[in-house]
Amino acid sequence: MELKLYDTLTREKRVFTPIDRSRVRMYVCGPTVYDFAHIGNARPVIVFDVLYRLLRHVYGEANVTYVRNITDVDDKINARAARDFPGLPLNEAIRKVTETTERQFHADVDALGCLRPTVEPRATEFVLPRADGKADMVTLIRQLIARGHAYEANGEVLFDTTSMPDYGALSGRKLEDQLAGARVAVDAHKKNPSDFVLWKQSAADEPGWDSPWGRGRPGWHIECSAMSAAYLGDVFDIHGGGLDLIFPHHENEIAQSRCAHGTPVMANFWMHNGFLQVEGEKMSKSLGNFFTINELLADWPGEVLRFNMLRTHYRQPIDWTVKGLEESWKTLDDWYWVAGDAAGGSVPAAVLEALGDDLNTHQMITVLHGIRNLAQAGNNKARGDLASSLRWLGFLRESAAQWAARRQTGAGIDTAKVQALIDARTAARAAKDFAESDRIRDELAAMGVVLKDSKGGTTWEVAR
Ligand SMILES: [Zn+2]
């Protein structure tokens, strides 16, 4: 099949051809582990999980390497550690914050149906030269200095943006504009206002590593340059992340990696997912519409959150609404009902073609609805294909019965009481006490429960 992807750098959708079909390589910027991830953070995780699944399908599971880093050194982490564990030595407090948050992040994205990446390197393990010889931040910075792309000033090491003629190509920001618009006085030790930090000094109470430039810690951007090179090499296939990372983070990753390695590109495709807003507004703590993945999982199944995310094409802005979530849940109810326990089948070409068109999940869902209709009309092959497709995409992770029970719990219905009433009604019917049987049915209807009688017994679902 042909796979086309949109590349932010060249601003075109073009055919994806891996550098090496037996080693397809993707890097996606991962979480900074100081707090619960919010639903906006879930978008790239889900989008690139779908791409990962597609790449594995096309090139073979063993031939795709997906790296997503964990940023465990950051001033926000230090602040959180000091706040939450004031009695502990800083390094111990930091470890508590990062380990707890990392565990939480994994629990959240597992619930969203995302596969674990091939490798999840932690930034702190790539600061100093390593015994295994993999790329590290200090060595990259030394290379940048040696090649004339970085300089030391005021205890910092800075990247000299004027040393790279096409700096700014990803974001389309021209260096002259950045120079003209900046307030030079703020950072007098910088040669140019757009120069950025590769290494900075650490105070005694801040985490630090001994380096050729004194005890300090890396800037944020250099960690992704080091970890991508460590696992994927100097040039690889796909680099992903949210739109908000284009500038400065990805721009600076490109500058560091290309200038340190002397390569014309860092990655062949730069992919960015669009923004997420909530009920038509920018998500913010002050507006009270800020939701963590964890909070949403208390009210909605992970599969509903995942499906809701995929209804919008990844490059479009997404408006996250309760109405949309309810629609997503209804669709999944229907698909579980039609195909939840179906076996056999395969992923149809039309599903793959939709995804192959720059991950057109919106179109893919339309295709799935068509397959659903065939299945509902009695086509067993379609039923198997629907189930296969959904499972391959990270859905149908429960049995149809488990899913229905979850829905009932979600609707605030006491499932044990419902079952007791159904049993009483079955007994009444067996005794031909139809008045009592009807009364119980009405009582259940008042609870929002609809009964379905069949030869196999009575099942129930929540009234819609
Ligand atoms: Zn990054």
Side-chain angles (χ1 to χ4, degrees):
M1 66 167 282
E2 188 175 75
L3 173 57
K4 281 186 173 166
L5 298 172
Y6 182 84
D7 174 24
T8 308
L9 182 59
T10 54
R11 289 159 178 76
E12 61 179 0
K13 186 161 77 174
R14 61 175 199 277
V15 175
F16 173 76
T17 312
I19 299 165
D20 176 355
R21 289 182 68 94
S22 68
R23 195 164 160 255
V24 182
R25 289 161 283 166
M26 173 165 81
Y27 185 92
V28 176
C29 296
T32 301
V33 284
Y34 71 101
D35 204 350
F36 285 101
H38 60 70
I39 190 62
N41 302 135
R43 193 169 189 196
V45 177
I46 293 172
V47 163
F48 292 104
D49 177 68
V50 171
L51 178 56
Y52 180 42
R53 287 167 188 264
L54 182 63
L55 292 172
R56 282 159 50 111
H57 186 89
V58 175
Y59 299 101
E61 287 189 11
N63 300 329
V64 182
T65 306
Y66 172 19
V67 179
R68 186 180 62 210
N69 68 297
I70 289 173
T71 297
D72 60 348
V73 51
D74 187 280
D75 290 351
K76 288 193 282 283
I77 296 173
N78 306 343
R80 185 58 61 103
R83 188 195 80 179
D84 291 356
F85 303 100
L88 286 183
L90 184 67
N91 279 341
E92 215 173 301
I94 286 175
R95 198 169 59 242
K96 274 195 183 293
V97 169
T98 57
E99 283 179 0
T100 312
T101 314
E102 186 182 324
R103 206 159 41 237
Q104 186 61 55
F105 175 77
H106 279 141
D108 287 349
V109 300
D110 286 353
L112 295 175
C114 297
L115 302 172
R116 296 282 179 98
T118 320
V119 204
E120 288 186 278
R122 307 176 108 229
T124 50
E125 290 163 15
F126 290 81
V127 177
L128 299 178
R130 294 163 55 94
D132 64 7
K134 282 191 161 61
D136 66 272
M137 300 180 219
V138 163
T139 304
L140 272 184
I141 295 170
R142 294 177 76 135
Q143 283 167 344
L144 287 169
I145 295 173
R147 287 171 172 263
H149 291 291
Y151 59 95
E152 243 187 299
N154 246 14
E156 290 184 340
V157 181
L158 294 142
F159 185 92
D160 180 353
T161 47
T162 57
S163 75
M164 183 186 184
D166 56 348
Y167 178 79
L170 182 72
S171 60
R173 295 184 186 213
K174 289 204 171 60
L175 199 53
E176 308 90 76
D177 300 347
Q178 296 176 44
L179 299 182
R183 289 178 301 146
V184 180
V186 178
D187 291 308
H189 65 291
K190 289 186 179 180
K191 284 189 193 168
N192 316 289
S194 54
D195 292 354
F196 57 90
V197 169
L198 301 170
W199 188 265
K200 56 189 165 190
Q201 285 185 327
S202 292
D205 62 349
E206 286 172 332
W209 290 261
D210 288 324
S211 80
W213 319 285
R215 185 177 173 277
R217 58 194 192 282
W220 171 33
H221 316 304
I222 195 73
E223 64 173 76
C224 288
S225 285
M227 288 183 278
S228 60
Y231 286 101
L232 304 177
D234 297 351
V235 179
F236 50 94
D237 296 300
I238 299 169
H239 191 310
L243 205 60
D244 52 323
L245 295 182
I246 292 177
F247 190 88
H249 185 53
H250 290 168
E251 197 75 82
N252 293 347
E253 275 188 41
I254 291 174
Q256 296 161 160
S257 293
R258 282 184 47 201
C259 292
H261 303 132
T263 52
V265 295
M266 176 183 181
N268 283 340
F269 284 79
W270 284 84
M271 294 178 65
H272 295 96
N273 62 273
F275 288 114
L276 177 145
Q277 49 175 213
V278 173
E279 306 286 352
E281 289 191 274
K282 190 175 189 298
M283 184 166 68
S284 82
K285 284 186 174 154
S286 60
L287 283 173
N289 65 353
F290 186 94
F291 297 106
T292 64
I293 300 170
N294 198 252
E295 286 165 341
L296 288 166
L297 284 171
D299 293 332
W300 308 91
E303 291 188 30
V304 169
L305 304 182
R306 182 179 179 86
F307 184 71
N308 201 51
M309 204 66 92
L310 297 179
R311 289 170 67 192
T312 305
H313 185 262
Y314 78 95
R315 287 200 285 126
Q316 300 297 317
I318 189 170
D319 190 18
W320 191 263
T321 64
V322 168
K323 183 168 170 284
L325 285 165
E326 281 168 352
E327 287 165 3
S328 294
W329 200 339
K330 276 187 185 160
T331 301
L332 286 176
D333 277 349
D334 177 65
W335 287 352
Y336 260 102
W337 177 62
V338 172
D341 296 327
S346 57
V347 182
V351 170
L352 296 167
E353 272 162 28
L355 284 181
D357 181 16
D358 193 30
L359 294 189
N360 193 339
T361 51
H362 185 81
Q363 172 61 23
M364 176 196 75
I365 289 166
T366 305
V367 171
L368 290 175
H369 279 302
I371 300 170
R372 176 259 175 232
N373 290 341
L374 290 175
Q376 166 68 1
N379 182 329
N380 262 334
K381 165 93 170 64
R383 217 171 139 253
D385 287 353
L386 180 61
S388 292
S389 303
L390 291 171
R391 288 194 192 107
W392 174 64
L393 288 161
F395 299 100
L396 300 195
R397 285 180 283 134
E398 301 176 5
S399 69
Q402 280 173 319
W403 181 264
R406 184 197 259 283
R407 173 64 144 174
Q408 287 140 11
T409 313
I413 289 171
D414 179 345
T415 53
K417 184 177 174 189
V418 170
Q419 198 52 53
L421 284 167
I422 288 175
D423 292 345
R425 176 170 169 272
T426 305
R429 275 154 56 107
K432 302 212 178 329
D433 183 352
F434 296 113
E436 174 64 2
S437 157
D438 287 351
R439 189 198 64 72
I440 294 172
R441 192 193 56 217
D442 293 346
E443 183 179 344
L444 285 163
M447 291 165 65
V449 170
V450 179
L451 298 181
K452 281 185 182 172
D453 292 316
S454 70
K455 281 182 197 134
T458 302
T459 57
W460 64 283
E461 62 179 36
V462 177
R464 299 186 188 169

